[in-house]
Amino acid sequence: MGEGTAKAFADIGEDGTPYSVGLAFTEGALNALPQHEPGEYTLKLPSILNIPPYNHMVINWMPHGHEPDGIYNRPHFDFHFYFINETTRKAITCMGADREICLKQPDPDKLPPFYVGGPEGVPQMGWHWVDMRSPEYNGKPFTTTYIYGYYDANLIFIEPMITREFLLKKKKFEQELMLPKTFTHLGYYPQKYSIHFDKTRAMHFITLKYLKEMQ
């Protein structure tokens, strides 16, 4: 990615309990990125690790941001953690007959408090839901936010979204997360996410932490 590398990681206890999952990338990964077209980088946890519901991760680089205009139209990364496999994800179009499936309303218990769905779904991703309490919806510029993603009324991904500018500042950040009451894909869900730059290793870490098993 860029002039660097990226990888998925997990922190596992001696008893096999996962404490966190995340994405890490070197300083150079923020340099020499595509300037006009989006970039996409797919990653997976090491094969010896099986941490449900995580199937694969995709880092999407958005050099011009995306809609809604005036909020997310800043150069940023979408750090997607998908619960479905790549074949299923790539079959999502959110257009034609698939649009109705993509925008099918989830049951209230499957939604975190304060989240609202966007006007349309995104091909090969799904329907993005945003926290209306986030700073970018309350008069402040977008720096980082946390998205829940749905398809066919089920949660299929979670997504920290972070501007390149914020990452370059190398500030520590941690936020407590709102969780739905019920899940289709059972497994370990984060209660917080953090952004951290490790000076010793010269790496950025995007971490989903304090994983809670949802059954």
Side-chain angles (χ1 to χ4, degrees):
M1 187 169 80
E3 293 180 333
T5 59
K7 65 179 181 180
F9 70 89
D11 181 20
I12 309 293
E14 292 183 0
D15 62 353
T17 301
Y19 297 135
S20 65
V21 297
L23 294 166
F25 46 94
T26 58
E27 281 189 277
L30 299 180
N31 301 326
L33 292 160
Q35 296 183 14
H36 303 292
E37 297 297 326
E40 182 172 298
Y41 312 91
T42 302
L43 300 165
K44 290 190 175 184
L45 287 168
S47 58
I48 60 171
L49 298 178
N50 178 27
I51 305 175
Y54 305 97
N55 181 274
H56 67 287
M57 296 78 163
V58 178
I59 302 175
N60 295 97
W61 161 241
M62 301 292 181
H64 304 293
H66 52 65
E67 60 182 16
D69 190 45
I71 296 181
Y72 295 132
N73 58 341
R74 306 180 69 188
H76 71 264
F77 294 91
D78 298 343
F79 297 97
H80 290 91
F81 292 75
Y82 286 102
F83 312 147
I84 57 176
N85 62 44
E86 288 186 75
T87 301
T88 301
R89 176 179 66 82
K90 290 181 178 180
I92 295 172
T93 66
C94 297
M95 296 184 289
D98 193 52
R99 182 177 182 273
E100 183 176 350
I101 299 173
C102 186
L103 300 181
K104 185 178 179 181
Q105 182 71 25
D107 292 336
D109 282 354
K110 291 184 177 181
L111 294 168
F114 307 110
Y115 273 72
V116 174
E120 295 292 338
V122 180
Q124 299 188 22
M125 294 182 187
W127 191 11
H128 293 64
W129 285 62
V130 298
D131 186 347
M132 297 307 295
R133 302 170 305 161
S134 297
E136 65 270 20
Y137 286 99
N138 293 279
K140 296 182 180 180
F142 161 55
T143 56
T144 177
T145 197
Y146 192 82
I147 307 289
Y148 282 91
Y150 293 80
Y151 180 77
D152 196 14
N154 294 312
L155 180 64
I156 63 165
F157 70 81
I158 48 182
E159 176 199 346
M161 196 161 69
I162 309 166
T163 65
R164 179 176 179 272
E165 179 183 13
F166 189 81
L167 290 168
L168 287 171
K169 291 179 179 178
K170 301 177 181 177
K171 291 183 177 180
K172 285 186 178 181
F173 175 87
E174 184 172 281
Q175 179 178 318
E176 190 168 344
L177 301 172
M178 305 297 293
L179 290 172
K181 293 181 180 178
T182 62
F183 298 83
T184 300
H185 299 277
L186 304 183
Y188 295 87
Y189 287 83
Q191 299 178 81
K192 292 184 179 182
Y193 86 99
S194 67
I195 303 167
H196 171 67
F197 180 75
D198 187 311
K199 293 182 180 179
T200 303
R201 289 181 281 182
M203 294 190 74
H204 296 270
F205 289 84
I206 313 301
T207 308
L208 307 182
K209 57 203 309 185
Y210 301 105
L211 297 180
K212 180 179 181 181
E213 186 174 14
M214 308 302 289
Q215 298 180 333

